Amino acid sequence: MTRRARLVVFLCLSLLAPLAERAPALAEEEVVRIGVRLDCPPLSFINRKDQCVGFDADLARALCAELRLSCEISAHPFAELLPMLERGELDAVMAGLHITPERERFAAFSKPYYHSLFIYIGSPDIEETGFAGKRIGARKDSLEAEYVQRRWGSTAVPVIADRKTLLAGLRDGSIDIVLMDGLPGYAFLLSEAGRNLDVIGNAVPPSELEESARIAVHKKNSALRDKLDEALDNIRRNGEYDKISRIYFNYAIY
């Protein structure tokens, strides 16, 4: 079995298994500002035409079209997205987010819009039983960063940084392993930059790390959340969701 085929099988099997005083009210004549991650292919990235594209960005546009809303899609570093939502600078965030008590302080969450397990990526000669003493990276301000510190903080060396730094560290050897969402992780492994790396061990079980990605809106704007939920149901029924998904993935993500 080729390396690409092994990765596809692995991902398919895994997938089976300060507060703002007020948030803007939802009004159909207003522009809905949706933030996505900067430089996180295939979920969101800037193409050669300086356009924000990717699964998250395209799905956001489809949801807005279904709701007949005028939307503005913008890409930002992951660590800036939730603070921007909290301050009222964004109306919604689509960035593979998971529910946490801290986030629920100011945000309300949609139903899941994709499912993906978290995987470890590193050199093929590293075994899962050999993580002790290794430098294990995770994206800052993320659920996986909390997990790495909790799971490996006493036996390994957590490295919490932005995505660009983590992937550069994998390539130059300054980081041994990175824990990341399987969707961008898989895309990275199939790229030229990830060709000498592989999935290490098993994916993190959903019981240990949430696998359902959701859209976040300000908790005072639950009307928008409800409309997005309805639109998500509609585009899944009419096939638009699968049409967008097939552009970026050759396996089911819902």
Side-chain angles (χ1 to χ4, degrees):
M1 185 180 289
T2 66
R3 178 170 176 268
R4 181 187 180 96
R6 285 190 294 110
L7 290 171
V8 172
V9 170
F10 178 88
L11 265 294
C12 288
L13 291 176
S14 296
L15 287 164
L16 291 175
L19 184 63
E21 287 299 321
R22 56 181 299 179
L26 177 63
E28 293 192 3
E29 67 273 12
E30 294 180 354
V31 173
V32 176
R33 302 158 300 173
I34 302 177
V36 299
R37 286 167 282 192
L38 181 68
D39 191 25
C40 188
L43 297 173
S44 51
F45 56 98
I46 305 301
N47 66 13
R48 293 180 180 180
K49 297 181 179 180
D50 202 32
Q51 299 167 326
C52 183
V53 296
F55 176 74
D56 283 356
D58 290 0
L59 187 64
R61 293 187 182 96
L63 293 171
C64 291
E66 177 67 24
L67 293 171
R68 294 180 172 83
L69 292 175
S70 176
C71 291
E72 177 183 278
I73 315 298
S74 58
H76 309 271
F78 178 80
E80 296 179 8
L81 288 167
L82 285 174
M84 291 178 70
L85 180 69
E86 186 176 9
R87 293 192 300 264
E89 296 168 8
L90 291 172
D91 300 305
V93 172
M94 293 184 66
L97 295 171
H98 306 86
I99 300 173
T100 69
E102 171 59 24
R103 292 171 179 174
E104 286 188 304
R105 182 176 61 83
F106 62 89
F109 291 86
S110 73
K111 60 180 58 182
Y113 74 96
Y114 76 77
H115 302 281
S116 175
L117 297 183
F118 287 86
I119 60 174
Y120 293 101
I121 293 175
S123 171
D125 59 6
I126 297 176
E127 298 182 1
E128 189 170 16
T129 55
F131 279 16
K134 298 295 184 182
R135 295 156 296 189
I136 304 179
R139 188 182 54 189
K140 64 181 180 181
D141 300 312
S142 69
L143 210 60
E144 57 267 34
E146 295 175 10
Y147 179 82
V148 164
Q149 291 171 321
R150 182 174 69 252
R151 174 68 177 83
W152 300 106
S154 61
T155 58
V157 183
V159 180
I160 310 303
D162 59 81
R163 172 185 163 87
K164 183 177 180 180
T165 299
L166 294 174
L167 298 185
L170 274 179
R171 293 193 297 269
D172 66 23
S174 61
I175 298 175
D176 300 304
I177 307 159
V178 169
L179 177 64
M180 62 190 302
D181 183 332
L183 298 190
Y186 173 59
F188 172 69
L189 288 171
L190 293 179
S191 70
E192 178 63 23
R195 64 186 179 89
N196 295 322
L197 302 169
D198 213 332
V199 176
I200 309 301
N202 298 315
V204 179
S207 59
E208 296 183 24
L209 196 55
E210 174 65 56
E211 49 88 37
S212 298
R214 302 169 189 266
I215 306 168
V217 304
H218 198 283
K219 68 178 183 179
K220 293 185 178 181
N221 204 352
S222 59
L224 176 58
R225 188 269 314 276
D226 294 344
K227 284 181 176 291
L228 290 170
D229 277 348
E230 180 182 358
L232 182 59
D233 285 341
N234 290 344
I235 67 171
R236 290 197 66 231
R237 282 194 295 264
N238 66 26
E240 186 65 18
Y241 181 97
D242 288 339
K243 179 181 177 181
I244 296 170
S245 176
R246 285 194 296 268
I247 297 173
Y248 300 101
F249 310 106
N250 56 4
Y251 48 87
I253 64 171
Y254 198 99

